[in-house]
């Protein structure tokens, strides 16, 4: 550990200089336990092995009794707002945020770049992450199969909080692990902060 400490220290200092807004507070307050822990959690979620130096690759942990999920297992009733689908193996898409998610679902249905998609509801795709020294599970919004067979995890989120940023770091780490395994196709993760951005995100990933 002492060999890589200078590298870690440099990364932490860069993080504090570029990513932390102190809002006029004394910078020494960053040493308080709550803020220190947030920085540690963020860095741990973002750090990956250096494959160029033959470090062990980041790989996923596969659930032994359910190694592969399927939309064939999705069957449930709900009183939440829904919209019928054509490009999904599930008959309806549930809209947790009616306007935003409805707009995104409409664009996924209409896009020639989308082969299939599904709302991640009752699918069981949950990504573990740590926040404020507690374990949590992150359930992204959509899974989108693009025409180039890339599987895109799509999150629809306008206002971003600190906990959301930790979720996204964990999702990107999860995607890296799955891609490294080489047995479950190619995956990517994107956050859509405005419904109008959906088309551009799809073009970027389908190209």
């Amino acid at each position: 550990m002492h060999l890589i400490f200078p590298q870690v220290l440099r990364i932490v200092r860069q993080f504090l200089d570029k990513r932390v807004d102190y809002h006029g507070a004394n910078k020494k307050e960053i040493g308080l336990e709550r803020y220190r822990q947030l920085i540690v959690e963020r860095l741990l979620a973002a750090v990956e092995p250096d494959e160029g130096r033959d470090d062990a690759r980041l790989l996923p942990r596969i659930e032994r009794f359910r190694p592969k999920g399927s939309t064939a297992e999705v069957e449930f009733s709900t009183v939440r707002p829904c919209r019928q689908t054509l490009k999904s193996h599930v008959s309806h898409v549930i809209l947790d945020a009616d306007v935003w998610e409805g707009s995104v679902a409409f664009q996924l249905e209409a896009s020639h770049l989308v082969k299939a998609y599904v709302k991640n509801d009752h699918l069981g795709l949950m990504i573990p992450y740590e926040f404020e020294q507690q374990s949590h599970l992150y359930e992204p919004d959509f899974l989108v199969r693009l025409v180039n067979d890339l599987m895109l995890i799509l999150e629809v989120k306008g206002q971003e909080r600190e906990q959301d940023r930790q979720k996204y770091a964990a999702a990107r780490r999860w995607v890296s692990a799955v891609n490294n395994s080489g047995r479950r196709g190619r995956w990517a993760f994107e956050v859509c902060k405005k419904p109008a951005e959906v088309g551009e995100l799809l073009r970027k990933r389908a190209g």
Side-chain angles (χ1 to χ4, degrees), residues 7 26 28 54 76 87-88 109 111 122 134 145 147 162 176 186 196 198:
Q7 301 175 48
N26 190 320
K28 292 181 180 179
D54 295 325
F76 63 96
K87 286 189 175 181
S88 176
E109 286 279 354
S111 176
H122 288 72
Q134 293 186 359
R145 172 81 67 183
V147 290
E162 185 62 33
S176 292
R186 297 180 302 117
V198 172

Side-chain angles (χ1 to χ4, degrees), residues 90-115:
V90 179
S91 63
H92 291 71
V93 58
I94 293 176
L95 310 176
D96 293 327
D98 195 10
V99 176
W100 275 48
E101 291 194 357
S103 175
V104 171
F106 176 81
Q107 293 181 70
L108 295 177
E109 286 279 354
S111 176
H112 68 281
L113 299 174
V114 175
K115 184 181 291 186

Side-chain angles (χ1 to χ4, degrees), residues 130-192:
E130 299 289 326
F131 183 72
E132 295 187 342
Q133 303 184 62
Q134 293 186 359
S135 298
H136 301 269
L137 291 173
Y138 165 43
E139 192 171 16
D141 290 324
F142 290 95
L143 295 178
V144 185
R145 172 81 67 183
L146 299 178
V147 290
N148 61 357
D149 282 327
L150 177 78
M151 184 64 78
L152 176 64
I153 300 176
L154 183 62
E155 174 72 14
V156 180
K157 191 76 171 182
Q159 191 172 11
E160 191 176 272
R161 301 170 301 169
E162 185 62 33
Q163 187 167 358
D164 296 319
R165 287 187 278 271
Q166 190 67 6
K167 292 178 185 178
Y168 304 159
R172 294 184 179 98
R173 186 178 176 87
W174 186 93
V175 164
S176 292
V178 172
N179 286 336
N180 286 340
S181 74
R183 293 182 294 174
R184 287 170 172 78
R186 297 180 302 117
W187 289 67
F189 173 76
E190 291 284 357
V191 179
C192 175

Side-chain angles (χ1 to χ4, degrees), residues 1 5 8-9 11-13 15-16 20 30-48 129-134 162 165-166 169-170 173:
M1 182 66 185
F5 179 78
V8 174
L9 179 61
I11 292 171
V12 170
R13 284 174 171 168
F15 179 87
L16 295 178
V20 177
I30 203 70
L32 295 175
E33 174 63 20
R34 179 176 183 273
Y35 302 125
R36 185 190 66 81
Q37 185 60 38
L38 286 174
I39 293 171
V40 170
E41 289 173 349
R42 180 70 67 82
L43 289 173
L44 287 176
V47 170
E48 296 185 15
Y129 71 100
E130 299 289 326
F131 183 72
E132 295 187 342
Q133 303 184 62
Q134 293 186 359
E162 185 62 33
R165 287 187 278 271
Q166 190 67 6
R173 186 178 176 87

Side-chain angles (χ1 to χ4, degrees), residues 47-117:
V47 170
E48 296 185 15
D50 185 354
E51 296 179 20
R53 299 178 57 183
D54 295 325
D55 290 352
R57 292 192 305 165
L58 187 66
L59 294 172
R61 288 183 295 177
I62 306 300
E63 188 176 339
R64 181 179 177 186
F65 298 105
R66 192 171 179 262
K68 186 177 181 180
S70 171
T71 52
E73 303 170 6
V74 179
E75 185 176 353
F76 63 96
S77 300
T78 183
V79 296
R80 289 181 288 170
C82 297
R83 176 173 292 175
Q84 286 187 317
T85 64
L86 294 175
K87 286 189 175 181
S88 176
H89 297 151
V90 179
S91 63
H92 291 71
V93 58
I94 293 176
L95 310 176
D96 293 327
D98 195 10
V99 176
W100 275 48
E101 291 194 357
S103 175
V104 171
F106 176 81
Q107 293 181 70
L108 295 177
E109 286 279 354
S111 176
H112 68 281
L113 299 174
V114 175
K115 184 181 291 186
Y117 78 98

